Amino acid sequence: MAAAAVLLWGLCRRLCHVLLFLSQFYVLSGGESTDIPPYMMKCPSNGLCSRLPADCVECKTNFSCVYGKPVTFDCTVKPSVTCVDQDLKSQKSFVINMTCRFCWQLPETLYECSNSTSCMAVSCPRQRYAANCTVRDHVHCLGNRTFPKMLYCNWTGGYKWSTALALSITLGGFGADRFYLGQWREGLGKLFSFGGLGIWTLIDVLLIGVGYVGPADGSLYI
């Protein structure tokens, strides 16, 4: 009897360990997932529903509205989002007022675009690059909130126009301005020709002064 009781007790302990392991595995595998939806990071708790970011609501939009005209859409908050009305009462459905226009038609101040450092910002004609743009969180618009757009190259490599001009005036005869801008071939040419006997130096002062000669990497001055 005693041996049977000890054996039964051992089996019960092992069974409890197995059940505990299975319950922990179930939770870790997402069976009782408590993950917060990604959009919740942008959604303020108990704020005004009409001021929620676009990622926090779902609206019944009408693409047949007249461009540029005020329009009203019925919206509901997404799951797990809590908001209130003007009287601080909790609500799930509300209306939102906006201007009828697609996201890609917004002013440039209302969206952010990726930058490119592989195009020539100083060129004639000016070069463009394909950028991916995303509408700011608080802005409501029609269509996709992420869209492609062709933008002018406007990046900078940290070269200062004032420094380049100062070097061209003071040490241009030795090619210091060209060396500073990363144009080492032209810099060597000016160095060994004493600034083209002064002619090249004067020309570079004028070209750098008007911004025609810029950094070798094609970036803009700062």
Side-chain angles (χ1 to χ4, degrees):
M1 291 292 294
V6 171
L7 180 62
L8 182 61
W9 173 250
L11 290 176
C12 290
R13 289 187 61 183
R14 291 188 178 183
L15 181 61
C16 290
H17 290 161
V18 171
L19 292 176
L20 179 61
F21 172 77
L22 291 177
S23 63
Q24 291 176 344
F25 178 78
Y26 178 71
V27 172
L28 292 175
S29 63
E32 294 183 359
S33 176
T34 57
D35 291 342
I36 300 176
Y39 57 80
M40 286 297 296
M41 301 298 294
K42 301 180 180 180
C43 305
S45 180
N46 296 322
L48 289 176
C49 294
S50 59
R51 295 185 180 179
L52 284 174
D55 290 337
C56 305
V57 300
E58 295 178 344
C59 299
K60 298 179 180 178
T61 55
N62 181 9
F63 293 95
S64 62
C65 58
V66 180
Y67 172 74
K69 298 294 184 179
V71 64
T72 301
F73 293 133
D74 294 325
C75 302
T76 57
V77 296
K78 289 184 177 180
S80 302
V81 178
T82 57
C83 63
V84 296
D85 58 12
Q86 296 290 347
D87 298 325
L88 302 182
K89 295 181 179 179
S90 178
Q91 65 175 171
K92 293 293 184 180
S93 301
F94 58 97
V95 295
I96 206 166
N97 299 314
M98 56 178 285
T99 302
C100 179
R101 56 189 173 186
F102 286 93
C103 294
W104 59 269
Q105 296 173 317
L106 292 171
E108 294 183 359
T109 56
L110 299 182
Y111 55 82
E112 296 178 344
C113 298
S114 59
N115 292 321
S116 174
T117 58
S118 60
C119 60
M120 297 290 291
V122 181
S123 64
C124 186
R126 291 183 63 188
Q127 289 188 4
R128 295 173 179 261
Y129 70 98
N132 290 322
C133 303
T134 303
V135 179
R136 298 185 185 275
D137 293 338
H138 68 281
V139 179
H140 294 271
C141 54
L142 301 176
N144 295 327
R145 298 184 61 80
T146 301
F147 52 91
K149 195 164 188 177
M150 297 298 296
L151 300 177
Y152 284 113
C153 299
N154 61 353
W155 67 284
T156 178
Y159 296 95
K160 293 185 177 181
W161 172 82
S162 57
T163 302
L165 183 60
L167 289 174
S168 184
I169 295 173
T170 58
L171 300 173
F174 301 100
D177 50 353
R178 293 285 185 162
F179 284 124
Y180 171 72
L181 295 174
Q183 302 174 5
W184 59 272
R185 293 185 181 86
E186 292 83 351
L188 290 174
K190 291 183 69 175
L191 176 62
F192 291 113
S193 66
F194 300 102
L197 299 178
I199 299 176
W200 193 349
T201 301
L202 293 176
I203 293 176
D204 269 359
V205 171
L206 294 175
L207 295 179
I208 292 176
V210 299
Y212 185 81
V213 172
D217 58 8
S219 63
L220 296 174
Y221 289 116
I222 59 175

